[in-house]
């Protein structure tokens, strides 16, 4: 019992309960009001009935210290707004109005050169709420297309296995559509096999025509596409040709993740000049009609500038950009990028140099409204914490509605230009870091080693909001460290801000060791006294480790 004592909660309890050390329903109501919760007597009584352990107290609508602690440690006392942990956003807007949880080279579970390719990669990503998966297809033996990272030593898995895994796990975590991004390097014969396997294995789940049989003027919504799998890839001709059952144009060259091919593609396009230059592609580059017909809303096209897209492109087309290209566009044409993403999908993928499967920061891509920001899900770290943090809301369904100013094609918003932001001016976020509970030891530490914990709070958002502050470290106490320090941040664009709480073990001679973290969108933070339940490096929970803060 002594071990479970929480002096800071006793102080808080005493502040509201007064002399008698018992909370009446009225006193609890005052506490709820200060917490920004529904503060009615009815609610206070309901909480007492749910959390008070002592039968007598419960009957008299009174709450003792233990019940109060139970309440603050429950989901109701969590920093993450529990209302937002179910699907609560409008799901009837066009796909391009959402951030979409997306994975890069999903079949890899290690690095990009020698790593294992595995079905496990798809299962893990889907369980984590990922909605855009990637598959690289190459000709395999006996007419069976294989999935692996071309020109490397990564192991291979049959395409049909990937597709059946997809069919089985696609909608276990979320009902909303899955986009399968197909990198197709197969011969004509094996492309036919790809199309055949997709149709045979996925059946009704594979989307093979528009939702209403007409050519769309805008993308359909996640709601309309529930339980559907969409293929993203090259397409012969235009969508109306598929709907009329014809198609004769050669496919567009598309940006390709794999450096060497992309180079070759760019050279070819330069030689051919215009888009029709791509008709000069070698025969092996041509596309099987059956596979082309499976691509409806996500036709891959090369990006040739925002003006060009505005005049010649359409909502059902999508370009892929490497991270460096995207960064340059953000620097040179931030506002145009935001406008473009209000009507068309953009996919961002990691640089080919990241052979170790490291990740880039997704935040700067989200700041301009890019929807499909593909990360290496197998690599733990800040970038995946941000991804898990953003998508932990809205029922973990893999779709998060973008703020209103990013869904307007005439928006003036530019993340790096403060004069373009509308709004009441900066919001002040004040975080009092009070205490920690039962923090885990650092992996591979010596026996009997005790951590010296500190807490760092990071703000990830538009450049002007990026910031971090940390508390001092507490020597030799991972059990119940007490910081009582106040950190303060100014947020100019709170709608895009993510807040990351990190606990580290201070080390004066080398880098601090990671202990635990929790990340969430600013929009999902509840004010008042809150517990933060920490997650380990790979995003899994580590009960009963927590932080106690006041927001």
């Amino acid at each position: 019992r002594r071990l479970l004592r929480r002096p800071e909660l006793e102080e808080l309890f005493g502040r509201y309960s007064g002399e008698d050390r018992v909370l009446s329903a009225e006193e609890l109501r005052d506490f709820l009001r200060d917490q920004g919760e529904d503060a009615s007597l009815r609610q206070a009584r309901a909480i007492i009935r749910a959390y008070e352990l002592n039968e007598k107290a419960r009957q008299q609508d009174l709450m003792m210290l233990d019940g109060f602690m139970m309440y603050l440690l429950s989901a109701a006392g969590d920093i993450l707004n529990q209302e937002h942990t179910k699907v609560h956003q409008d799901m009837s807007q066009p796909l391009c109005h959402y951030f979409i949880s997306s994975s890069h080279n999903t079949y890899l579970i290690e690095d990009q050169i020698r790593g294992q390719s595995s079905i496990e990669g798809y299962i893990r990503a889907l369980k984590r709420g990922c909605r855009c998966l990637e598959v690289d297809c190459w000709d395999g033996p006996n007419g069976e297309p294989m999935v692996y990272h071309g020109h490397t030593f990564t192991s291979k898995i049959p395409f049909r296995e990937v597709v059946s895994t997809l069919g089985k796990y696609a909608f276990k975590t979320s009902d909303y559509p899955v986009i399968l991004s197909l990198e197709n390097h197969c011969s004509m014969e094996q492309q036919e096999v790809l199309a055949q396997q997709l149709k045979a294995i996925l059946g009704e789940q594979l989307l093979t025509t528009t939702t209403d049989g007409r050519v769309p003027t805008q993308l359909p919504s996640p709601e309309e596409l529930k339980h559907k799998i969409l293929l993203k890839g090259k397409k012969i001709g235009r969508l109306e040709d598929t709907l009329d059952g014809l198609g004769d144009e050669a496919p567009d060259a598309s940006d390709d993740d794999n450096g060497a091919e992309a180079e070759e593609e760019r050279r070819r396009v330069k030689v051919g000049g215009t888009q029709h230059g791509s008709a000069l592609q070698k025969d092996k580059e041509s596309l099987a009609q059956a596979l082309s017909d499976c691509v409806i809303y996500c036709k891959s096209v090369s990006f040739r500038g925002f003006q060009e897209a505005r005049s010649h492109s359409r909502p059902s087309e999508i370009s892929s950009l490497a991270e460096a290209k995207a960064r340059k566009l953000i620097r040179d044409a931030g506002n145009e990028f935001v406008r473009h993403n209000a009507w068309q999908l953009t996919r961002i993928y990691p640089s080919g140099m990241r052979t170790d499967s490291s990740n880039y920061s997704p935040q700067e891509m989200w700041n301009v409204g890019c929807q499909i920001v593909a990360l290496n899900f197998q690599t733990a770290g800040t970038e995946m914490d941000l991804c898990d943090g953003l998508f932990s809301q809205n029922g973990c369904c893999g779709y998060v509605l973008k703020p209103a100013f990013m869904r307007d094609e005439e928006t003036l918003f530019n993340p790096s230009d403060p004069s373009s932001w509308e709004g009441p001016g900066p919001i002040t976020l004040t975080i009092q870091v009070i205490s920690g509970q039962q923090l885990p030891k650092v992996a591979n530490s010596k026996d009997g080693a005790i951590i010296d914990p500190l807490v760092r709070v990071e703000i990830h958002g538009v450049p002007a909001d990026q910031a971090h502050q940390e508390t001092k470290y507490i020597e030799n106490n991972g059990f119940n460290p007490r910081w009582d320090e106040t950190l303060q941040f100014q947020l100019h664009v709170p709608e895009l801000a993510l807040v990351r709480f990190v606990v580290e073990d201070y080390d004066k001679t080398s880098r601090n060791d990671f202990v635990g973290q929790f990340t969430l969108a600013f929009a999902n933070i509840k004010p008042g006294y809150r517990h933060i339940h920490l997650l380990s490096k790979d995003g899994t929970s580590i009960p009963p480790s927590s932080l106690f803060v006041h927001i």
Side-chain angles (χ1 to χ4, degrees):
R1 202 171 164 75
R2 269 219 321 276
L3 282 178
L4 289 177
R5 268 198 59 199
R6 295 277 305 273
E8 74 280 33
L9 293 189
E10 291 170 24
E11 290 160 31
L12 180 59
F13 183 75
R15 217 175 304 157
Y16 287 88
S17 68
E19 295 296 289
D20 62 357
R21 311 294 291 164
V22 182
L23 274 184
S24 65
E26 288 75 16
E27 288 165 333
L28 179 58
R29 181 192 59 194
D30 294 344
F31 174 71
L32 292 174
R33 190 190 55 227
D34 295 346
Q35 287 280 85
E37 297 282 5
D38 161 19
S40 61
L41 270 176
R42 218 178 99 217
Q43 180 59 12
R45 290 195 185 104
I47 287 173
I48 290 171
R49 277 194 291 278
Y51 296 97
E52 178 50 51
L53 308 166
N54 179 311
E55 189 92 11
K56 274 208 184 94
R58 216 171 34 232
Q59 284 161 1
Q60 297 171 25
D61 282 336
L62 298 173
M63 190 174 236
M64 323 282 279
L65 176 63
D66 283 354
F68 183 67
M69 279 171 49
M70 290 290 284
Y71 170 65
L72 279 180
L73 276 163
S74 74
D78 200 292
I79 188 167
L80 178 61
N81 186 335
Q82 296 302 295
E83 286 303 298
H84 295 182
T85 57
K86 29 188 193 290
V87 175
H88 66 102
Q89 295 180 334
D90 174 6
M91 299 305 284
S92 62
Q93 304 210 19
L95 278 184
C96 54
H97 286 182
Y98 299 84
F99 294 121
I100 303 174
S101 176
S102 307
S103 136
H104 171 248
N105 287 357
T106 318
Y107 48 89
L108 294 180
I109 50 176
E110 296 162 31
D111 67 40
Q112 309 273 317
I113 304 290
R114 296 199 165 67
Q116 268 298 96
S117 300
S118 160
I119 292 301
E120 198 51 44
Y122 290 92
I123 298 174
R124 286 177 197 167
L126 287 165
K127 281 189 174 162
R128 228 165 154 171
C130 181
R131 298 283 90 191
C132 180
L133 308 168
E134 192 182 2
V135 57
D136 267 322
C137 301
W138 300 80
D139 279 1
N142 314 325
E144 275 279 327
M146 301 299 275
V147 173
Y148 63 100
H149 200 187
H151 311 303
T152 62
F153 303 102
T154 57
S155 60
K156 305 177 181 182
I157 32 182
F159 180 70
R160 69 164 68 240
E161 278 187 29
V162 173
V163 181
S164 23
T165 304
L166 183 57
K168 198 156 122 203
Y169 290 91
F171 304 107
K172 276 205 174 15
T173 306
S174 164
D175 295 330
Y176 294 102
V178 169
I179 298 170
L180 184 62
S181 179
L182 183 71
E183 291 285 347
N184 164 20
H185 309 277
C186 293
S187 61
M188 286 297 256
E189 295 76 38
Q190 294 211 7
Q191 288 182 39
E192 298 282 352
V193 180
L194 292 178
Q196 211 181 312
Q197 292 184 348
L198 282 166
K199 287 180 192 149
I201 298 168
L202 297 177
E204 285 295 287
Q205 292 183 321
L206 183 68
L207 188 78
T208 51
T209 178
T210 56
T211 47
D212 57 3
R214 288 204 292 275
V215 177
T217 48
Q218 61 170 31
L219 284 165
S221 68
E223 192 57 49
E224 290 172 276
L225 294 169
K226 266 186 164 173
H227 299 120
K228 288 292 181 197
I229 294 171
L230 282 57
L231 192 65
K232 169 191 160 312
K234 296 177 188 176
K235 184 168 184 63
I236 301 170
R238 295 167 315 176
L239 189 49
E240 43 270 48
D241 303 334
T242 305
L243 302 177
D244 305 339
L246 328 148
D248 46 6
E249 257 181 276
D252 276 355
S254 145
D255 287 340
D256 199 307
D257 285 10
N258 302 339
E261 281 102 9
E263 261 322 293
E264 190 179 311
E265 200 109 86
R266 272 194 285 280
R267 263 205 312 281
R268 244 197 331 274
V269 173
K270 275 207 186 78
V271 174
T274 63
Q275 257 181 354
H276 298 289
S278 53
L280 302 173
Q281 289 175 22
K282 306 182 199 68
D283 287 339
K284 87 163 190 44
E285 274 286 322
S286 45
L287 187 55
Q289 189 68 48
L291 190 58
S292 166
D293 289 348
C294 296
V295 175
I296 307 296
Y297 288 118
C298 297
K299 171 183 174 177
S300 302
V301 297
S302 283
F303 178 75
R304 297 196 172 80
F306 295 122
Q307 290 328 105
E308 175 77 13
R310 219 45 207 117
S311 43
H312 294 108
S313 195
R314 40 184 62 192
S316 56
E317 296 178 339
I318 171 172
S319 339
S320 291
L321 303 167
E323 55 176 291
K325 174 89 181 269
R327 268 192 218 103
K328 186 172 173 9
L329 291 169
I330 293 169
R331 252 195 333 271
D332 301 346
N335 172 248
E336 278 187 279
F337 210 161
V338 177
R339 289 183 173 197
H340 175 83
N341 285 327
W343 67 277
Q344 195 176 55
L345 289 168
T346 303
R347 175 171 169 275
I348 312 292
Y349 58 89
S351 141
M353 306 310 277
R354 295 183 182 273
T355 50
D356 57 351
S357 296
S358 61
N359 280 313
Y360 54 95
S361 165
Q363 186 68 45
E364 49 182 338
M365 311 303 173
W366 292 329
N367 286 344
V368 287
C370 296
Q371 304 84 350
I372 301 184
V373 179
L375 295 173
N376 290 306
F377 266 53
Q378 72 274 35
T379 308
T382 308
E383 300 82 11
M384 276 310 295
D385 293 346
L386 294 177
C387 179
D388 286 342
L390 177 66
F391 292 106
S392 64
Q393 61 186 316
N394 209 23
C396 290
C397 76
Y399 287 84
V400 168
L401 189 63
K402 299 199 281 193
F405 57 80
M406 304 191 91
R407 310 194 299 258
D408 168 13
E409 291 178 41
E410 304 299 311
T411 183
L412 299 174
F413 179 77
N414 177 352
S416 31
D417 172 13
S419 69
S420 72
W421 306 338
E422 292 163 15
I427 285 181
T428 304
L429 170 63
T430 306
I431 299 171
Q432 189 192 0
V433 180
I434 303 170
S435 60
Q437 293 74 45
Q438 304 178 49
L439 305 175
K441 288 193 163 172
V442 171
N444 312 325
S445 56
K446 297 199 241 344
D447 273 356
I450 300 175
I451 64 171
D452 305 327
L454 62 86
V455 177
R456 185 170 63 252
V457 178
E458 304 168 352
I459 306 292
H460 298 262
V462 297
D465 288 348
Q466 292 277 12
H468 58 88
Q469 294 177 31
E470 51 190 45
T471 64
K472 56 186 183 311
Y473 67 94
I474 304 287
E475 260 182 67
N476 286 343
N477 184 353
F479 185 70
N480 56 2
R482 185 88 186 250
W483 292 279
D484 287 317
E485 283 187 61
T486 300
L487 312 177
Q488 207 166 51
F489 301 94
Q490 298 289 320
L491 302 183
H492 300 83
V493 188
E495 298 89 341
L496 287 171
L498 293 172
V499 184
R500 181 172 184 254
F501 295 85
V502 197
V503 180
E504 287 184 345
D505 176 15
Y506 173 77
D507 196 325
K508 58 176 174 295
T509 51
S510 61
R511 273 183 53 192
N512 293 350
D513 286 312
F514 173 89
V515 175
Q517 70 84 32
F518 188 75
T519 304
L520 75 172
F522 172 79
N524 301 317
I525 293 182
K526 295 209 79 166
Y529 288 95
R530 299 288 165 188
H531 278 100
I532 299 171
H533 297 279
L534 296 172
L535 302 176
S536 65
K537 189 132 184 117
D538 60 6
T540 49
S541 66
I542 34 178
S545 302
S546 58
L547 293 176
F548 186 56
V549 298
H550 181 262
I551 306 286

